């Protein structure tokens, strides 16, 4: 999609003047790509919540004069990209904004989580953040992989066969009703798989190379599913903010909680998909009731 087509598209849909949150539309001008973003799934939040907790715990130890200069935000749209990304916009899964001494508010930390998104698409998002802006210092890319990819297991059942299964109503479902056949799935209910195995979950830290200005991975890929050895990832507050030595803090994250959290989120995703299936079947039934045959007499 060209820039001209993108401008026409967002004007026709009134994208930037509506309060509707999803789907969201982003545009990468360097690749002329329209990106449609849907509501984040529970597994996205398994990573976002860990980073949010780490930054917020650090904030709570700071004096008010410093604490009020740090804001954590989720799914907040961002513009102002430059260079080959001029005209682009993006909504990160999580970001931390810092206010500098001149009152400028800048998203110096950004997290992008990919689930249905391919790894190469996730990297392209990261390049846009680091190469298209001068204020993002640290970017974390996180990728979660489901094997096999999801297809509704009861989609092809007719109403009679579906009723015999005895599914509870969507409002009666609880995450405890969904079992995990392995440590990280598959998640099942009524003998059907609602989430495949989470076969991989990893993250990478990316920064801008000071010489080339290009986004580069910093260090090795970090495996999030190694329960015996939780990942060690820490930042210094001075990585993001000019502060006095007495206000320096190490920002650490409770990765020891991640394995328990991701298992709960897998069940949450399974329940969500099951509820979405019920909603879709209800809509199909309503369409059938609305059907009026033509008068053949």
């Amino acid at each position: 999609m060209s820039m001209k087509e993108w401008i026409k598209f967002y004007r026709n849909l009134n994208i930037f003047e509506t309060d509707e949150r999803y789907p969201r539309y982003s545009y990468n001008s360097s690749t002329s790509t329209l990106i449609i973003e849907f509501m984040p799934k529970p597994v996205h939040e398994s990573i976002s919540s860990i980073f949010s907790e780490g930054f917020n715990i650090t904030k709570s130890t700071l004096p008010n004069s410093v604490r009020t200069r740090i804001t954590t935000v989720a799914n907040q749209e961002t513009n102002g990209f430059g260079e080959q990304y001029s005209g682009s916009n993006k909504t990160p899964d999580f970001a931390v904004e810092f206010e500098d001494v001149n009152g400028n508010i800048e998203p110096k930390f950004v997290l992008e989580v990919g689930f249905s998104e391919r790894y190469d698409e996730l990297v392209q998002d990261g390049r846009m953040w680091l190469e298209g802006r001068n204020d993002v210092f640290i970017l974390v890319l996180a990728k979660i992989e489901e094997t096999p990819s999801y297809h509704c297991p009861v989609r092809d059942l007719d109403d009679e066969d579906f009723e015999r299964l005895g599914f509870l109503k969507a409002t009666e479902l609880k995450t405890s009703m969904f079992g995990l056949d392995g440590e990280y799935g598959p998640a099942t209910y009524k003998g059907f798989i609602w989430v495949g195995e989470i076969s991989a979950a990893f993250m990478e830290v990316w920064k801008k190379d000071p010489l080339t200005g290009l986004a580069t991975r910093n260090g090795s890929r970090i495996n999030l599913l190694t329960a015996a050895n939780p990942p060690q990832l820490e930042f210094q507050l001075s990585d993001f903010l000019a502060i006095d030595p007495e206000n320096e803090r190490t920002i650490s994250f409770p990765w020891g909680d991640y394995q328990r959290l991701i298992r709960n989120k897998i069940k949450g995703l399974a329940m969500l998909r099951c509820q979405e299936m019920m909603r879709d079947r209800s809509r199909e039934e309503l369409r059938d009731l609305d059907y009026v045959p033509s008068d053949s007499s």
Side-chain angles (χ1 to χ4, degrees), residues 178-287:
F178 294 79
L180 294 182
D181 292 349
E183 191 171 16
Y184 302 113
T188 60
Y189 173 67
K190 292 290 184 180
F192 295 97
I193 294 176
W194 299 95
V195 178
E197 180 188 7
I198 299 303
S199 53
F202 60 84
M203 62 183 176
E204 301 171 345
V205 178
W206 287 64
K207 297 180 180 180
K208 180 186 291 189
D209 186 290
L211 297 178
T212 66
L214 299 178
T216 57
R217 194 175 81 184
N218 188 261
S220 302
R221 178 176 290 181
I222 301 170
N223 183 0
L224 296 175
L225 299 183
T226 307
N229 184 27
Q232 301 298 316
L233 179 64
E234 296 179 336
F235 303 120
Q236 297 301 123
L237 185 57
S238 57
D239 292 337
F240 310 101
L241 203 60
I243 52 173
D244 295 329
E246 63 267 24
N247 292 325
E248 178 67 290
R249 298 288 190 278
T250 298
I251 307 170
S252 56
F253 306 94
W255 290 110
D257 298 337
Y258 182 73
Q259 286 75 31
R260 176 192 57 81
L261 182 60
I262 186 63
R263 286 191 285 267
N264 288 339
K265 294 299 184 179
I266 292 169
K267 291 183 178 182
L269 176 58
M271 184 177 73
L272 177 65
R273 286 174 171 174
C274 191
Q275 291 169 328
E276 288 175 341
M277 173 275 297
M278 295 178 181
R279 178 201 62 197
D280 292 343
R281 292 188 76 95
S282 296
R283 288 175 176 173
E284 290 174 2
E285 291 173 4
L286 290 174
R287 284 197 293 270

